[in-house]
Structure formats: C-alpha cells, structure tokens
Amino acid sequence: MRGLLGALLWLALACAAPASAASVGASALVKVPAVDLLSVSDGGTIVLDNAAADPQAGDDLGPVADSTARLNYTHNSPTAKKLTAQVTANPGGSDITLTVSVAGGTGEKTLVDAGATAAVQDVYTNIPAGALSDLSVTYKASATAHGTPVSGPTSFVFTITFTSVSS
Amino acid sequence: MKKVLALSLVAALLVSAFPVLAATATSNVTVTIGAVDKLVVTNGGTITLDNNSADPTAGDVLGPATDSTARLSFVHNKNVNKKITAEATTAPAAAGNDIQLEVQVGAAGSFVTVYDDNGAAAAQDAVTGIAAGALSNQVVTYRARATAAGTPVSAATNFDFTITFTSVDQ
C-alpha cells in the first residue's frame, strides 16, 4: 500500500513537473516564382464600306476604330517591364493600315502600314511590379478604294502578338 | 542545423535560378472591306435663255448657255471598271418646248444629250472606264438651248429638270 501510494505520488509529481524545454529548428520553404502573366482578348470587326467613304475627299476608306479588346498584365520582377506589339499574321492583298493603342500606354502605334507589317512597337513602358487590369485596346484601320479592290465584301484577319519585355 | 541551412541555401538558389520568361498573348482583329460605291452630285444653277442668248441676225436660236455649278464625286472599290450614266428622270413634257439639254462631266468629258425636242432621252454614258478609286469634285456642266419659235412663253417660265446619275459596272 505504501509502495503503491509512493508510486502514485511519484507519478503525480512527474505529471505536474514542467517538461524541460526542447527546441528544434525546422525549415519552411517559401517559393516565389517569377510572375509574368499577360492576356489580351480579341478585337471586334472593323468595317470599311460606303459609310467610311467620302468621295469628295478622295478614295480613302476610314479610319474606323474598334475598342473591344482588353489587356491584363501582372508581373513581380524587381525591374520595370514593357509591353510590345507586332502583327504576326498578315493576310496580305490589301493596303490596309492598322494601328493599336493601349489605354494609358505610349499612344497610337502603327502595326501595318499600307499593307506592310511594321517592326515591333512599344505599346506600354515602365511597368513596375504589380498589375495592369482591364485596359482598353483600340485598333484603328484605314485603306483606299484603289489599293484594296474587291469583288464583294472581303475580310482580312490580323493576329497581333503582345509580349512582355524587361524595360 | 547544418542540414537546415543547406536546405535553405538550395531553395534560395532554386528561386534565383528560375529563368525570367517573356509572357506573350495574341489578339485577333478582323478588317472587313465592304462594297464601296458612293456617288455625290450637287445641284446645278439656273440656265437663262433670254435676250442675252438671242441673236436675231443668226436666227431664232436661244443659247446655248451653260451652268457649271454642280460637282460630281464618285468612289468605288470594285475590281472591275465602272461608268456613270445620266438621265433626265424629271423633265417637262416634250410638247410646248424644244429645249435641248446636255450634260458634261469633267472638263475633258463629252457632252451627252439628256433631253431634246423628243423629250427625255434614255440614260447616257457620261463617264466611262472608271477604275477602283475616286473622282473628286468633277465639274458638271449643263448646256441648254432652245428656239424662240419652238418654246413660246407668255412670260418668264421655268422648265425644271432632275438629272439622275447612276454608277454601273462597265
């Protein structure tokens, strides 16, 4: 009985006694990959027809603008970035002039000049880490009646590639 | 501890070693060239055949007198040539006058008769061989003549004409 009581007492004391402090270092890995996300939606259809013509002024058609497309961009680089644009698919067979401007960017830039694809253009510069959200992208097109003769309504589809680049 | 430090160092190296890739996105835009066939002709002025148009030593012909107020502008983008015809679609009755009305488009154009003693003529070719492109602000000259005997009037009388210009595939 005394032994049992002693054992119980010892057990109680053992439980009541604070555990001696033990510490261990464990690593926690936080991975921050480079973020560089760009999306640009398609534009609409720009129509150059009678409504875009003024015979008293000559045979220019347009310019007519479309602001359907939207641009979103996010990056986390410590250095500023810029966005460029270039036509990477030009159907040819026309003297269409096509320009682009991104809201808040570097202004109107020519992508196609009288049918010829232009060099890469800066459309938005000095972008610090962060996001550009839902920016309006305006395409504007013009042509001439003699430079783009057609037998009937004819569509020309252009593909514009936007690219992020370190400034 | 050493193992912890080593793992942290490897992680740091992995993060810094990730190449910075350029982001790209594509956007399509369609430009549709519609049929362009636009003709604008302004109104002419008034051609007066009166004493100033008469020469009794030469007979009773009045005129010709001209008006070059009107202007014609035309643009088309078809891959075939077009022409422009002219026709008097509103004209006085043939009886009671022998007015002859002609029209010329552009200084180098030929005069075509749109109305004479027989009344309004069929549509006449005023300009031909028009390739895709524009004719802008071409001078339209109307020329009128009559005879005193063929167009008797009790007082100054107006004879109104509407000339309809039409573009047609050649």
Side-chain angles (χ1 to χ4, degrees), chain B residues 61-81:
Chain B
V61 174
L62 306 177
T66 61
D67 172 83
S68 297
T69 306
R71 295 291 183 270
L72 179 148
S73 296
F74 175 59
V75 62
H76 85 90
N77 68 346
K78 198 162 185 180
N79 55 1
V80 295
N81 282 355

Side-chain angles (χ1 to χ4, degrees), chain A residues 38 71 73 81-85 102 121-125 127 132 162-165, chain B residues 23:
Chain A
L38 177 61
L71 180 147
Y73 178 56
K81 283 187 175 278
K82 66 178 181 179
L83 298 178
T84 66
V102 179
Q121 303 290 312
D122 290 348
V123 294
Y124 210 114
T125 57
I127 308 169
L132 299 176
F162 293 79
T163 305
S164 67
V165 184

Side-chain angles (χ1 to χ4, degrees), chain A residues 14-38:
Chain A
C15 292
S20 57
S23 66
V24 61
S27 64
L29 184 62
V30 178
K31 190 172 175 180
V32 183
V35 174
D36 198 14
L37 289 171
L38 177 61

Side-chain angles (χ1 to χ4, degrees), chain B residues 139-163:
Chain B
V139 175
V140 178
T141 299
Y142 294 105
R143 186 167 69 187
R145 72 188 75 202
T147 67
T151 310
V153 295
S154 58
T157 302
N158 291 331
F159 295 86
D160 293 316
F161 295 86
T162 299
I163 311 303

Side-chain angles (χ1 to χ4, degrees), chain A residues 142-155:
Chain A
S142 59
T144 67
H146 79 272
T148 310
V150 296
S151 57
T154 304
S155 291

Side-chain angles (χ1 to χ4, degrees), chain A residues 1-25:
Chain A
M1 192 59 172
R2 272 193 199 169
L4 178 61
L5 282 173
L8 286 172
L9 181 61
W10 179 90
L11 184 59
L13 285 171
C15 292
S20 57
S23 66
V24 61

